[in-house]
Each structure stands twice: as structure tokens, then as C-alpha cells.
Amino acid sequence: MKVLVTGGLGFIGSHTVVELQNEGFEVVIIDNLSNSSEEVLKGIVAITGKMPIFEKLDLREKKSVQDFFKKYNDISGVIHFAASKAVGESVENPLLYYENNINTLVYLLQELQQKPEAHFIFSSSCTVYGQAETMPITENASIQTAMSPYGNTKQIGEEIITDVAKVTNVNAILLRYFNPVGSHPSAEIGELPIGVPQNLVPFITQTGFGLRQALSVYGDDYPTPDGTAIRDYIHVVDLAKAHVIALQRLLNKKNEAKVETFNLGTGTGSSVLEVIHAFEKVSGKKLPYNIVPRREGDITEAYANTDKANTVLGWKAKSTLEESLASAWKWEVKIRS
């Protein structure tokens, strides 16, 4: 079965391509290489022994999307990762995020709705919950006003998919991730941000390696035990496996509704300082950090109730925070050596 993975050379996308190929799927990757590298293909081949089909394409170009689906008219499922994903950057440049995250989704769905049946996995985010009123967050938590344009694009994306599914043959699963971290245990692929990392863990590993002078901790005055923000950090391989299970659920027609939603996390919240101390433990490196003002768009805490994914999908995150950080450090050391 042929599966399209958009943004398939990115961090989560590449790990999902590996898991799909290991399950016997034929994978076609679309990526415009704006925040990734073609070198990632070598890592995928090193792990799986198989080269996925790669199309360098910008999903913001409607004609390119139409031409792609004419060329590949036998796509059985789509896993849609391609999107901009930094909260801070979205506050500074909202139109970039609306174009990149909304237009591309519309163009994909316009093609899929023409098919007799379409199976669509959407890379969503716990940001749709805003600052949830209770922890841990269940899928039934109310969708709060988005704290950033990035979060808003995920809310709008979910609404668009739900509206389209009502009147077409599109069946979809919305996967709301918490905070993906780590790297493949082989250290053949991992998180490779271009420029200054927008996420905590690559900034930590780069600081640990000496590429950055010090880590910035955004705020130590949150109403949390140590004053720093709390998040749910999930190993990227655990996350990737959930996408394969979700896709198989749609392909096997096991879904109970046209659109289903699942939280993907560990169910445990860790503060920024706890992550720093865990990294110091697994790496043996002392991490210099500075407390700086809070970032606009950041919330106090978010961690998942994963009961639904555990019971309905039969999926559970397996890696601990320390295991995730150890794999991220192994990757950092490899790419800098």
C-alpha cells in the first residue's frame, strides 16, 4: 500500500517513514526542504534498507499538488506533517503560518475529496487546548482561544477536516501531540533544526555540546513547583508508531466515527528544570542556563491523559524522559563528530 507522508524528511515525519517502511508500506515523501535536508533519506535507508520515493514539492503551490495526485493516483493514505511549528515565530509572523499551515491543508483535501475513499492522519497539537482548566488533559477538554497563531492554525485545521469529512469520503484521525523529543536509537535520524532551535531539547543538546553558550529558560515565575513551565515530553519513535497504528485503523475500517481524535503523550508532566537535570544526568554534562522573561504564547502546563489512545488504539508511550534525552544526546554527538 502506498502512503503519502508530507514533511516526511522532518523530525517526526522521518521517524514515521521508518516505522511505515518497517510495517511494509510503500512511502512517498513530499518535502520542500525548508526546515529539513535531503540527507535524511540516507538515514532512513540505513535503518530500513529501503529508499522511499521523494518528491521535492511546495504544497503552497496548488498546481504542484494537483500534478502530484495525477502522477500518484494510487495513494491509500496520507499522513500530513508539513507545517510550520514554532509558537514564538508564529506570533512574530502570523501570515507565514496561515499560508503554510492552512492553504496546504486545503489543497490536499481538495484532491482527496475526489477519491472514492481517503484516509487522512493529521498532525495536530495539544496547543488546541490552550491553557486547559484541568490536568491531565483529556480529548474532551474544551478548545480554548488559541494562545498563538500556530495554535490557531491547528484549531482551524481540525475544523476544516471535520467539515470536509461530513460531506466527502474522507475519514480522518486527528493526533494531538504533546512535546516530541529524542531520536531514533540507531542515531541515523533525529531532530535537525535549521538555525537557532525553537524547541527545548535540541537547544539543550546543542548547549551541552558547546554550540550555544547557555540555555534560556523562559520564566521561573509560573505557578508550578519549581516555577518553570511543565510539558509532556514523548519520545519521537513512540509518537511515530502511533501514526502507523492510526493509519491501519482507518485502512481496516475500525474507526468508529468519520473523524476521531487522540492525545499522544506520556501522561507525565516535566518542568523545564527537571528536563535540564535529567539531561545532565544522562550526558554527564553541566548545563549553563539563564532565566529570562516568559515568552508570549507560552502556557503554564500541559500534560496528557492518554487513556483513550491506550485503550482504543492499543498504543502506549514506552520511553522514559531520561531514555528520550539520552537518544537525543547520542544523535547530537554523532552529527557533530
Side-chain angles (χ1 to χ4, degrees):
M1 259 183 191
K2 200 171 277 178
V3 177
L4 167 63
V5 180
T6 73
L9 296 182
F11 176 40
I12 308 167
S14 60
H15 286 82
T16 302
V17 169
V18 164
E19 297 304 323
L20 285 165
Q21 292 196 160
N22 285 343
E23 284 291 311
F25 287 98
E26 185 180 357
V27 178
V28 185
I29 293 171
I30 285 178
D31 204 301
N32 69 354
L33 304 179
S34 62
N35 196 29
S36 58
S37 164
E38 212 167 330
E39 290 290 301
V40 175
L41 287 168
K42 294 178 184 173
I44 292 169
V45 173
I47 298 166
T48 66
K50 284 183 280 193
M51 173 67 85
I53 301 166
F54 171 54
E55 294 280 353
K56 186 184 175 195
L57 189 154
D58 194 324
L59 291 170
R60 291 174 295 188
E61 296 166 2
K62 183 172 181 174
K63 175 81 166 49
S64 299
V65 180
Q66 292 171 333
D67 291 345
F68 173 87
F69 278 96
K70 286 193 188 100
K71 181 176 177 183
Y72 298 96
N73 59 9
D74 56 345
I75 297 284
S76 298
V78 176
I79 303 181
H80 181 43
F81 293 108
S84 302
K85 64 176 179 57
V87 168
E89 183 186 46
S90 78
V91 173
E92 293 162 11
N93 194 349
L95 286 175
L96 170 75
Y97 274 67
Y98 288 116
E99 181 188 34
N100 210 25
N101 295 7
I102 302 300
N103 292 11
T104 56
L105 173 64
V106 170
Y107 298 157
L108 281 170
L109 291 172
Q110 282 174 337
E111 300 307 307
L112 292 178
Q113 72 176 1
Q114 299 172 41
K115 290 180 165 291
E117 58 179 39
H119 310 100
F120 192 75
I121 308 294
F122 182 57
S123 167
S124 192
S125 166
C126 65
T127 55
V128 301
Y129 299 115
Q131 180 54 72
E133 287 152 14
T134 55
M135 293 292 142
I137 301 169
T138 71
E139 288 82 357
N140 296 326
S142 59
I143 302 295
Q144 305 281 353
T145 301
M147 303 281 282
S148 67
Y150 165 70
N152 201 26
T153 65
K154 292 303 181 183
Q155 291 183 5
I156 295 167
E158 289 194 0
E159 291 167 3
I160 290 169
I161 293 162
T162 303
D163 288 341
V164 170
K166 282 177 190 165
V167 294
T168 68
N169 288 318
V170 173
N171 284 267
I173 292 180
L174 315 175
L175 297 178
R176 292 174 179 163
Y177 321 154
F178 283 68
N179 291 63
V181 295
S183 294
H184 195 271
S186 66
E188 292 290 350
I189 55 173
E191 190 164 10
L192 194 60
I194 292 173
V196 179
Q198 300 276 351
N199 295 341
L200 176 63
V201 170
F203 212 113
I204 282 177
T205 58
Q206 289 188 14
T207 305
F209 202 80
L211 294 177
R212 311 267 163 208
Q213 282 189 318
L215 177 72
S216 294
V217 175
Y218 294 100
D220 65 349
D221 56 349
Y222 286 99
T224 60
D226 63 21
T228 61
I230 289 174
R231 299 288 184 270
D232 185 337
Y233 296 93
I234 173 174
H235 196 294
V236 65
V237 174
D238 285 333
L239 188 63
K241 288 177 188 294
H243 289 75
V244 180
I245 293 167
L247 180 62
Q248 288 167 330
R249 179 175 173 81
L250 292 181
L251 292 171
N252 296 327
K253 300 186 168 40
K254 295 282 177 62
N255 50 313
E256 292 162 14
K258 290 274 289 176
V259 179
E260 295 181 318
T261 306
F262 296 95
N263 284 341
L264 298 180
T266 64
T268 302
S270 303
S271 74
V272 175
L273 288 180
E274 285 174 331
V275 176
I276 289 171
H277 298 324
F279 173 78
E280 289 177 334
K281 183 178 170 188
V282 299
S283 68
K285 297 278 182 185
K286 192 75 184 143
L287 210 60
Y289 65 87
N290 300 314
I291 306 294
V292 298
R294 294 187 189 188
R295 240 179 350 191
E296 191 177 347
D298 276 348
I299 57 173
T300 301
E301 63 178 341
Y303 55 96
N305 178 316
T306 60
D307 291 350
K308 187 179 177 189
N310 298 162
T311 54
V312 178
L313 285 182
W315 167 90
K316 193 171 176 59
K318 294 188 174 135
S319 294
T320 64
L321 177 63
E322 287 184 2
E323 288 166 342
S324 298
L325 291 169
S327 69
W329 180 236
K330 181 180 175 186
W331 163 251
E332 187 73 49
V333 171
K334 185 195 171 191
I335 60 175
R336 305 300 170 193
S337 302

